[in-house]
């Protein structure tokens, strides 16, 4: 298959946004970047890209610095949030490097201009990169403090006209309580935006869920630790929870 081809038959989405946490990149370590884990996730992205799906990504920065925790420890909130945004740029560059080692053309686009390391956010340019079958990684959140990368992911997904947000987590969907601590936890196959908000199910923060609801953008929650899980869901298989209207 060439990059210019349409998605393969059976693939359910043409353009998606993959949202992962910064913690997903630290693997078995308690902090920072774990190169084998970054490479494994890059291989998952490449396998979906090979299906002809247009992919953009948002990666959190919690493996390096989390603004909310910084402010809780006495740091001024705006400064702490900007530090968190810079952490997402570092993660985006790491993922770009891993993808390009796999011959997947990738662009990092930052909401905070830093021309020597990545492109500034210009919506039309980002859309054009996707049309050319490049993976686009959005970094530095929305460029504003007090907004999470969940909200940034929902914002960018809407701006890029994505058909869904895929949120990769450590579990295979949304549960009514923490399945790690509660063996009797119930997994939802489908759940509404309002139910997520009312029951505080922790899929994304309230601003992100409300923005997805207002634009009827589905959120697919799946396990990033399941090999081939991302590709499987896009081919109509696998275990996941769909958050929708």
């Amino acid at each position: 298959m060439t990059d210019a081809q349409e998605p393969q038959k059976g693939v359910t989405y043409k353009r998606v946004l993959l949202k992962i946490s910064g913690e997903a990149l630290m693997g078995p370590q308690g902090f920072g970047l774990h190169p084998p884990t970054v490479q494994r996730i890059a291989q998952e992205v490449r396998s979906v890209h090979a299906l002809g799906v247009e992919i953009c990504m948002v990666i959190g920065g919690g493996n390096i610095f989390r603004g909310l925790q910084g402010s809780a420890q006495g740091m001024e909130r705006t400064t702490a949030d900007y530090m968190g945004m810079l952490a997402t740029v570092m993660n985006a560059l790491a993922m770009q490097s891993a993808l390009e080692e796999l011959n997947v053309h990738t662009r990092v686009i930052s909401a905070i201009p830093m021309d020597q390391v990545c492109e500034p956010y210009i919506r039309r340019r980002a859309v054009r990169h996707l049309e050319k079958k490049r993976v686009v990684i959005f970094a530095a959140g929305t460029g504003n403090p007090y907004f999470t990368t969940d909200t940034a992911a929902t914002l960018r997904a809407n701006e890029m006209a994505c058909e869904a947000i895929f949120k990769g987590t450590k579990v295979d969907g949304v549960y009514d309580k923490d399945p790690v601590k509660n063996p009797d936890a119930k997994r939802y196959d489908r759940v509404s935006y309002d139910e997520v908000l009312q029951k505080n199910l922790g899929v994304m923060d309230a601003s992100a869920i409300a923005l997805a609801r207002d634009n009827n953008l589905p959120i697919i929650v799946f396990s990033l630790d399941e090999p081939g899980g991302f590709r499987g869901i896009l081919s109509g298989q696998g275990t996941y929870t769909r958050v929708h209207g």
Side-chain angles (χ1 to χ4, degrees):
M1 170 184 291
T2 64
D3 284 349
Q5 285 181 291
E6 289 297 302
Q8 290 182 9
K9 187 175 181 180
V11 174
T12 50
Y13 298 97
K14 181 179 178 182
R15 180 182 294 173
V16 301
L17 184 142
L18 174 63
K19 166 63 171 71
I20 61 176
S21 67
E23 286 89 345
L25 303 184
M26 65 189 186
Q29 303 173 162
F31 183 82
L33 287 158
H34 183 242
T37 299
V38 177
Q39 290 160 8
R40 179 182 62 80
I41 295 172
Q43 288 167 350
E44 293 278 334
V45 173
R46 181 184 66 168
S47 72
V48 171
H49 183 265
L51 295 174
V53 179
E54 297 171 2
I55 306 170
C56 47
M57 299 178 66
V58 170
I59 307 172
N63 57 319
I64 298 172
F65 187 87
R66 186 178 292 279
L68 201 57
Q69 290 178 355
S71 64
Q73 294 171 10
M75 187 176 292
E76 194 269 323
R77 173 65 187 270
T78 301
T79 299
D81 278 355
Y82 278 121
M83 291 172 68
M85 288 180 226
L86 295 177
T88 71
V89 177
M90 296 172 69
N91 285 337
L93 292 172
M95 183 58 64
Q96 179 187 41
S97 177
L99 284 166
E100 293 197 329
E101 283 182 13
L102 299 172
N103 297 315
V104 178
H105 296 297
T106 307
R107 297 291 185 272
V108 174
I109 298 181
S110 172
I112 298 174
M114 48 185 79
D115 296 344
Q116 285 141 320
V117 294
C118 51
E119 296 181 14
Y121 178 70
I122 300 171
R123 188 184 69 83
R124 288 180 180 271
R125 180 185 291 176
V127 169
R128 187 65 181 138
H129 285 320
L130 290 172
E131 290 171 348
K132 290 182 176 180
K133 305 301 181 184
R134 296 165 180 157
V135 172
V136 174
I137 307 176
F138 295 111
T142 66
N144 302 288
Y146 295 94
F147 288 91
T148 66
T149 51
D150 281 345
T151 302
T154 311
L155 172 65
R156 297 295 186 233
N158 280 305
E159 289 181 301
M160 296 299 107
C162 291
E163 295 165 356
I165 295 174
F166 278 70
K167 178 157 186 187
T169 68
K170 292 185 178 297
V171 293
D172 59 354
V174 179
Y175 287 78
D176 59 351
K177 49 193 171 185
D178 187 346
V180 176
K181 299 177 181 176
N182 302 278
D184 61 338
K186 171 192 169 187
R187 188 181 65 80
Y188 296 93
D189 286 326
R190 291 175 176 264
V191 64
S192 71
Y193 303 113
D194 289 337
E195 196 171 357
V196 168
L197 292 171
Q198 290 164 5
K199 295 184 177 180
N200 195 27
L201 295 177
V203 176
M204 287 181 161
D205 65 69
S207 298
I209 294 294
L211 185 57
R213 178 190 61 192
D214 293 348
N215 292 278
N216 198 28
L217 179 67
I219 303 166
I220 310 297
V221 183
F222 72 104
S223 173
L224 198 64
D225 293 337
E226 183 68 29
F230 187 24
R231 181 187 174 107
I233 294 167
L234 280 156
S235 300
Q237 304 168 355
T239 304
Y240 58 91
T241 298
R242 180 184 175 92
V243 182
H244 61 110

